[in-house]
Amino acid sequence: MKKIVKETYILSMSPTNKPVETIASGETVLFETYDCFSNEIKSEKDFFHTVGWDRINPATGPVFVKGASPGDTIKVDILDIKIAHQGVMSITPEMGALAGCFAQEKTKIISIKEGMAVFNETLQLPINPMIGVIGTAPFDEDVPTGTPKDHGGNMDCKRIRKGATLYLPVNVDGALLAMGDAHAVMGDGEVVICGLEIPAEITVKVTVIKGQPYPLPFLADDEYVMTIASSETLDEASKRATKNMHTFLVNEVKMEEHEAAMFLSLGADLKICQIVDPLMTARMELPTWVLEKYNYKLV
């Protein structure tokens, strides 16, 4: 199995990036990743501002996927996410949903013990390792790895985890897949600009699907299928995620358009991924049993 080392990283997803490795469709590959601070915050005396924006959210890669052409989709099966023994949070007074609520920067080192993130002497949280940044090259622009868009990027969706499958667009030959910014655990919203940031080793299987059967990015696991959308406002991201799920139900599952719309209001859930990146990200979750009732199977 090929290993993409963390030292080969990008800070923007771009059609002009040079691939660091080439893989075949259906191949399994391991991505070694820095945390979002490039592993530079090592103690509680180190702060966010000391890292610098030119070292935030490195994404390992990109990888060229043979056979992937513009207009296709790549299917990324997330087979495993192995995380380090401790992670870090570093917050600033000026950023996030709680800007202005505290006066000083603060860094917290959080240990991982027996599958739990030890927040303090009173509180522990079960870990839920996830990928914050994962995407392909955009068609005709350079997008910083800290920004989510239709190519993926910094979506910070906590359901992009082991056992899930993420579908991403191919905008350039080879797709140029890259990923990073793993979290040991994160709540929906990521309200103070970070989750429990942590180095990781991410094992994925990458397959080329000819054409684009789904509105992308599209995510699936055993419980839900999900449409993910990012926009300047959370309202717009929410509407786009909802419209994309409606399109999926009508075009793929073959539900009648009014029925599909009504059912989304009854049986689907609109969730926030994050509200702290340059663009906001929302997802619409539809239970997989709905697809089973229509005898529909994902590719």
Side-chain angles (χ1 to χ4, degrees), residues 132 147 190 232 272 295:
T147 299
E190 198 186 22
E232 289 187 2
I272 297 170
N295 296 314

Side-chain angles (χ1 to χ4, degrees), residues 172-188:
V172 300
D173 286 340
L176 301 183
L177 174 68
M179 65 189 72
D181 183 36
H183 304 102
V185 61
M186 189 196 84
D188 278 336

Side-chain angles (χ1 to χ4, degrees), residues 100-169:
C101 292
F102 43 88
Q104 296 178 324
E105 284 189 79
K106 181 75 173 180
T107 293
K108 189 175 184 67
I109 303 295
I110 298 176
S111 297
I112 307 297
K113 296 182 179 179
E114 298 180 350
M116 304 291 287
V118 183
F119 185 75
N120 58 29
E121 293 181 357
T122 305
L123 299 175
Q124 298 185 21
L125 287 165
I127 62 171
N128 180 31
M130 53 157 285
I131 306 169
V133 173
I134 180 169
T136 55
F139 174 68
D140 60 356
E141 62 178 334
D142 294 0
V143 178
T145 50
T147 299
K149 275 194 169 183
D150 291 347
H151 68 287
N154 193 26
M155 295 177 287
D156 283 320
C157 174
K158 72 179 187 180
R159 290 194 176 274
I160 302 177
R161 59 190 178 185
K162 180 179 178 179
T165 297
L166 179 65
Y167 299 81
L168 292 167

Side-chain angles (χ1 to χ4, degrees), residues 222-234:
D222 289 341
E223 297 179 279
Y224 299 100
V225 293
M226 291 155 273
T227 46
I228 302 173
S230 300
S231 295
E232 289 187 2
T233 69
L234 189 57

